[in-house]
């Protein structure tokens, strides 16, 4: 016990308090029966986090930032809410025969005996702040209470459930509210409600990956779907055809747009709820994840007065976010910016936004024709979908407007081919397109699991670029990821295999996403290739020779910087027909 240090001594070493404060607290302890840390907290001489971190070191336990934890629903089922409140503990996860609990008081071990007795599982304690644990208990158990309330209802077998009945409507309304709140606060972009023969599965899409949230009894499917339809002003009697609707709700002090889509399946309608949180999507151009070089290129492009800038990538690659970031960068009182969107994702102050309504004939093309008579400086088109829209967009660019839009293509060079396929002449493409931004979204390594980036990886761990620079968008056809064997992976990647994530990242090892970019600027040399009928490969190599970094170039740079992993790059970026990476001998 010679190495044991008192809390006051450790806080002095950490620079939180000084020796005079220690003496005053010790004197006060003689008159009041309070712990050393509690006196500091009450007198605002130290924070609860300061005390929790010292206690974790003193007792050799891991410190947990409760506000960042992802709680597994199974753990909440093992520890009742009344017990969690009584002992001020938060169950966060179960793995094999161990349940992990966060406590603010490592000296109170009564809860350990009680949980181990009732569950038959070993308790793994972590240390967290008392206030954070109390807030987490309030937040996490409210969802479980809603689920429990639903499961406790036993409707008559074979009857048609009436959502308007008071004994059923209240729990269903509460469940829908909890689902929306959990999604908004948990950074989920979508909620999937999927019926099967025996149950209803609820999954959240977080950072582009679906994670199961709850299993509900099958009878709740009808009332749950009906409630969402009522909110979205959809026809609750129509179950044979797909429907789309939406509504706006206030969650956590902010307005959130909700889009609801239903699709008839064999066991009932599947419902997908999109949660559009403007605070999460309205990212500035500086924070998209571009390298300094790519950011400078993009800034130069958006300062142009005319021409077309296209943002490309598959669905869910962040194209709309990039467009909004560009609009936020260039908007001012001296510029008339008009957007044509289907639907309008977010309302931006000072921007003229038009909602396409095909059912009444208000198409992209019709909107664009009218917009050209509205004296615009910048026109944003949500997506170029057909030849008519493309022709009007190019005509607008040729007559002195800056046009921003999106296309679904794999990389920048293939965008030229796509425009030709739509029906745009090559000489028009060459003279009008000024830049193409191809992009993907990759998950970022969890800062709780990996608080500090590792040293740069040796260059031999990465596939060599093609002649002229750039990886060309993928690996050889039929070839595996360059890091398929563990010994070939960078150290950062191997760390993620050893440590399977924490509760802050839902045990995935990732929290949040960043962009991976390929900035293609149409130079005179590239313009000549487009006009002369150059192939995707020749255009790509010419652009690379003039300094374009490919998606893979940018992606592996982020791996080197410790932002993401090779496995994540392999998951997100498609393999293409390119020169096969050459193995490099290590001397």
């Amino acid at each position: 016990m010679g190495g044991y240090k008192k809390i006051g001594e450790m806080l002095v070493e950490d620079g939180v308090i000084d020796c005079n404060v220690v003496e005053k607290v010790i004197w006060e302890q003689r008159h009041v029966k309070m712990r050393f840390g509690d006196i500091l907290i009450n007198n605002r001489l130290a924070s609860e986090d300061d005390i929790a971190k010292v206690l974790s070191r003193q007792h050799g336990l891991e410190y947990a930032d409760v506000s960042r934890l992802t709680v597994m629903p199974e753990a909440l089922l093992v520890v009742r809410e009344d017990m969690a409140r009584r002992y001020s503990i938060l169950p966060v996860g179960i793995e094999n025969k161990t349940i992990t609990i966060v406590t603010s008081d490592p000296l109170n071990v009564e809860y350990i005996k009680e949980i181990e007795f009732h569950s038959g599982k070993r308790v793994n304690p972590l240390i967290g702040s008392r206030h954070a644990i109390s807030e987490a208990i309030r937040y996490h158990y409210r969802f479980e209470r809603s689920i429990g309330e639903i499961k406790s209802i036993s409707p008559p077998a074979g009857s048609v459930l009436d959502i308007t009945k008071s004994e059923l409507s209240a729990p269903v309304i509460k469940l829908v509210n909890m689902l929306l709140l959990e999604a908004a606060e948990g950074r989920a972009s979508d909620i999937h409600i999927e019926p099967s023969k025996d149950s209803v599965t609820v999954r959240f899409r977080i950072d582009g990956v679906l994670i199961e949230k709850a299993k509900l009894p099958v009878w709740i499917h009808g009332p749950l779907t009906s409630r969402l339809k009522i909110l979205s002003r959809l026809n609750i009697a129509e179950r044979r055809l797909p429907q789309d609707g939406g509504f706006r709700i206030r969650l956590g002090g902010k307005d959130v747009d909700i889009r609801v889509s239903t699709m008839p399946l064999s066991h009932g309608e599947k419902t997908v709820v999109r949660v559009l949180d403007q605070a999460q999507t309205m990212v500035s151009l500086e924070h998209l994840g571009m390298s300094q070089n790519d950011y400078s290129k993009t800034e130069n492009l958006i300062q142009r007065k005319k021409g077309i800038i296209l943002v490309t990538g598959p669905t869910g690659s962040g194209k709309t976010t990039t467009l909004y970031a560009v609009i936020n960068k260039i908007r001012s009182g001296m510029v008339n910016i008009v957007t044509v969107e289907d639907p309008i994702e977010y309302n931006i102050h000072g921007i003229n936004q038009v909602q396409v309504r095909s059912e009444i004939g208000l198409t992209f093309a019709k909107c664009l024709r009218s917009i050209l008579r509205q004296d615009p400086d910048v026109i944003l088109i949500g997506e170029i979908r057909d030849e008519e829209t493309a022709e009007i967009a190019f005509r607008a660019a040729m007559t002195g407007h800056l046009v921003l839009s999106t296309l679904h293509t794999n990389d920048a060079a293939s965008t030229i081919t796509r425009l030709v396929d739509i029906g745009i002449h090559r000489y028009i493409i060459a003279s009008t397109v000024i830049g193409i931004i191809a992009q993907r979204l990759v998950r970022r390594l969890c800062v709780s699991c990996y608080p500090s980036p590792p040293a740069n990886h040796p260059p031999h761990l990465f596939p060599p670029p093609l002649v002229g620079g750039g990886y060309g968008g993928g690996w050889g056809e039929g070839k595996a990821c360059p890091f398929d064997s563990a010994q070939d992976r960078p150290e950062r990647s191997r760390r993620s295999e050893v440590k399977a994530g924490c509760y802050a990242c839902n045990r995935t090892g990732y929290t949040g996403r960043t962009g991976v970019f390929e900035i293609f600027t149409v130079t005179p040399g590239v313009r000549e290739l487009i006009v002369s009928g150059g192939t995707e490969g020749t255009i790509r190599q010419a652009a690379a020779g003039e300094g374009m970094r490919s998606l893979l170039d940018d992606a592996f740079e982020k791996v080197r910087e410790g932002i993401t992993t090779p496995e994540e790059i392999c998951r997100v970026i498609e393999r293409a027909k390119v020169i096969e990476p050459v193995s490099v001998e290590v001397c």
Side-chain angles (χ1 to χ4, degrees):
M1 298 295 292
Y4 184 85
K5 292 183 179 181
K6 294 183 178 181
I7 291 179
E9 183 182 356
M10 298 174 74
L11 288 169
V12 170
E13 290 178 353
D14 291 348
V16 177
I17 59 176
D18 57 30
C19 294
N20 291 330
V21 172
V22 174
E23 292 176 5
K24 290 178 181 178
V25 173
I26 292 174
W27 181 86
E28 189 171 342
Q29 277 187 302
R30 296 171 186 168
H31 301 84
V32 294
K33 291 184 179 180
M34 290 180 66
R35 292 181 178 178
F36 190 94
D38 290 338
I39 294 175
L40 289 173
I41 293 169
N42 287 349
N43 289 280
R44 298 183 179 180
L45 297 170
S47 69
E48 289 193 4
D49 277 335
D50 292 330
I51 302 301
K53 289 174 182 177
V54 166
L55 286 173
S56 71
R57 300 209 314 271
Q58 188 184 50
H59 293 273
L61 299 174
E62 182 181 344
Y63 167 77
D65 183 352
V66 178
S67 64
R68 297 182 58 83
L69 295 181
T70 298
V71 175
M72 298 171 67
E74 309 93 274
L76 298 175
L77 297 176
V78 174
V79 180
R80 301 185 312 275
E81 183 178 3
D82 61 331
M83 182 190 297
R85 291 189 179 280
R86 185 168 72 253
Y87 290 116
S88 186
I89 58 174
L90 177 69
V92 291
I94 295 178
E95 190 169 2
N96 298 324
K97 295 184 178 181
T98 300
I99 179 169
T100 300
I101 305 287
V102 184
T103 178
S104 61
D105 185 3
L107 296 177
N108 184 358
V109 295
E110 288 300 315
Y111 75 92
I112 294 180
K113 297 176 183 177
E114 190 169 341
I115 292 173
E116 289 183 342
F117 176 77
H118 288 292
S119 68
K121 298 183 183 298
R122 184 179 69 85
V123 172
N124 172 40
L126 309 178
I127 302 293
S129 75
R130 184 185 309 156
H131 177 73
I133 291 172
S134 176
E135 286 295 304
I137 290 172
R138 181 189 63 81
Y139 169 73
H140 289 290
Y141 277 98
R142 67 188 177 189
F143 184 71
E144 290 306 312
R145 282 198 301 272
S146 297
I147 300 291
E149 195 172 351
I150 289 293
K151 291 181 177 179
S152 67
I153 299 173
S154 300
S159 65
V160 177
L161 299 171
D162 186 357
I163 194 174
T164 61
K165 290 185 177 180
S166 60
E167 69 272 14
L168 186 59
S169 62
V172 171
I173 291 171
K174 189 184 295 183
L175 176 62
V176 170
N177 292 344
M178 284 297 103
L179 284 174
L180 296 175
L181 190 59
E182 285 270 310
E185 295 185 350
R187 299 182 300 104
S189 61
D190 300 270
I191 306 170
H192 289 242
I193 302 170
E194 303 166 334
S196 63
K197 183 179 179 181
D198 303 314
S199 64
V200 177
T201 302
V202 178
R203 297 194 292 170
F204 285 5
R205 186 176 295 279
I206 301 174
D207 295 333
V209 177
L210 282 171
I211 298 172
E212 185 173 313
K213 188 67 179 177
K215 283 278 189 185
L216 302 174
V218 70
W219 64 262
I220 195 61
H221 175 251
L224 181 57
T225 304
S226 294
R227 174 61 182 167
L228 287 168
K229 283 185 174 181
I230 289 171
L231 289 171
S232 307
R233 298 181 180 179
L234 301 179
N235 184 353
I236 63 172
E238 180 56 74
R239 300 183 181 91
R240 301 165 300 170
L241 296 173
Q243 295 188 72
D244 296 284
F247 57 96
R248 176 171 285 192
I249 192 171
R250 193 159 184 80
L251 297 171
K254 55 189 175 183
D255 292 334
V256 177
D257 286 318
I258 305 295
R259 303 279 162 76
V260 176
S261 171
T262 65
M263 173 69 71
L265 303 178
S266 57
H267 293 292
E269 292 174 284
K270 173 177 176 176
T271 304
V272 175
V273 181
R274 171 147 289 188
V275 182
L276 298 171
D277 184 350
Q278 185 161 355
Q280 291 187 17
T281 300
M282 295 302 292
V283 182
S284 66
L285 192 64
E286 292 83 356
H287 294 98
L288 291 178
M290 291 183 180
S291 66
Q292 185 59 50
N293 186 44
D294 284 348
Y295 175 79
S296 297
K297 288 183 179 179
T298 304
E299 199 170 32
N300 289 335
L301 285 174
I302 65 178
Q303 288 174 355
R304 304 274 287 272
K305 301 300 180 184
K306 63 178 182 178
I308 287 185
I309 301 173
L310 296 169
V311 182
T312 73
T315 300
S317 60
K319 299 187 297 296
T320 301
T321 300
T322 298
L323 283 180
Y324 281 135
V326 169
I327 288 295
N328 271 324
K329 185 73 174 179
I330 63 179
R331 66 173 175 164
S332 73
M334 297 183 292
V335 180
N336 180 21
I337 302 175
V338 185
T339 76
V340 186
E341 304 171 69
D342 184 22
I344 295 174
E345 297 286 352
Y346 297 101
N347 294 302
I348 308 174
H349 179 70
I351 305 299
N352 305 290
Q353 296 175 272
V354 180
Q355 167 75 57
V356 169
R357 297 184 63 185
S358 301
E359 68 274 12
I360 61 171
L362 190 62
T363 61
F364 272 106
K366 193 165 187 176
C367 287
L368 285 172
R369 289 192 189 95
S370 298
I371 284 172
L372 290 176
R373 294 189 289 270
Q374 291 283 313
D375 186 31
D377 297 300
V378 179
I379 302 171
L380 185 152
I381 306 169
E383 181 183 350
I384 293 180
R385 299 180 177 179
D386 51 44
E387 182 179 359
E388 186 179 16
T389 304
E391 285 180 348
I392 299 172
F394 274 82
R395 190 185 314 148
M398 288 187 291
T399 55
H401 303 89
L402 181 63
V403 178
L404 310 171
S405 191
T406 69
L407 272 178
H408 288 86
T409 60
N410 286 333
D411 61 5
S414 60
T415 304
I416 305 301
T417 305
R418 172 69 177 138
L419 290 171
V420 172
D421 290 341
I422 287 177
I424 307 300
H425 294 295
R426 282 182 170 270
Y427 72 89
I428 295 178
I429 297 172
S431 63
T432 309
V433 175
I434 59 175
I436 301 169
I437 302 172
Q439 68 179 73
R440 300 290 189 277
L441 289 176
V442 296
R443 291 179 294 173
R444 300 177 66 99
L445 277 165
C446 172
V447 294
S448 296
C449 298
Y450 308 107
S452 59
N456 287 339
H457 302 303
H460 68 268
L461 291 175
F462 298 88
L466 300 174
V467 176
Y471 289 92
W475 298 282
E477 184 181 20
K479 299 298 179 181
C481 166
F483 303 101
D484 273 351
S485 59
Q487 65 269 22
D488 292 334
R489 295 181 180 137
E491 182 62 26
R492 184 72 172 214
S493 168
R494 291 200 294 271
R495 287 173 63 190
S496 67
E497 294 174 347
V498 175
K499 188 173 183 179
C502 65
Y503 300 108
C505 59
N506 212 26
R507 303 183 78 69
T508 63
Y510 303 93
T511 50
R513 289 189 289 179
T514 189
V516 172
F517 298 93
E518 178 177 283
I519 312 298
F520 177 100
T521 55
V522 180
T523 61
V526 170
R527 188 173 293 114
E528 288 181 12
L529 273 176
I530 295 173
V531 174
S532 62
T535 64
E536 284 182 24
T538 57
I539 292 172
R540 185 182 294 117
Q541 277 200 310
E546 295 185 15
M548 183 190 79
R549 297 192 341 150
S550 73
L551 285 167
L552 278 179
D553 285 326
D554 192 38
F556 283 122
E557 184 60 34
K558 287 179 169 60
V559 175
R560 289 185 179 94
E561 293 171 357
I563 295 172
T564 189
T565 62
E567 289 84 358
E568 179 67 1
I569 301 305
C570 294
R571 182 185 72 85
V572 171
I573 300 180
E574 305 84 354
R575 301 167 188 173
K577 294 181 180 180
V578 297
I579 300 174
E580 180 178 338
V582 182
S583 59
V584 179
E585 295 292 334
V586 182
C587 298

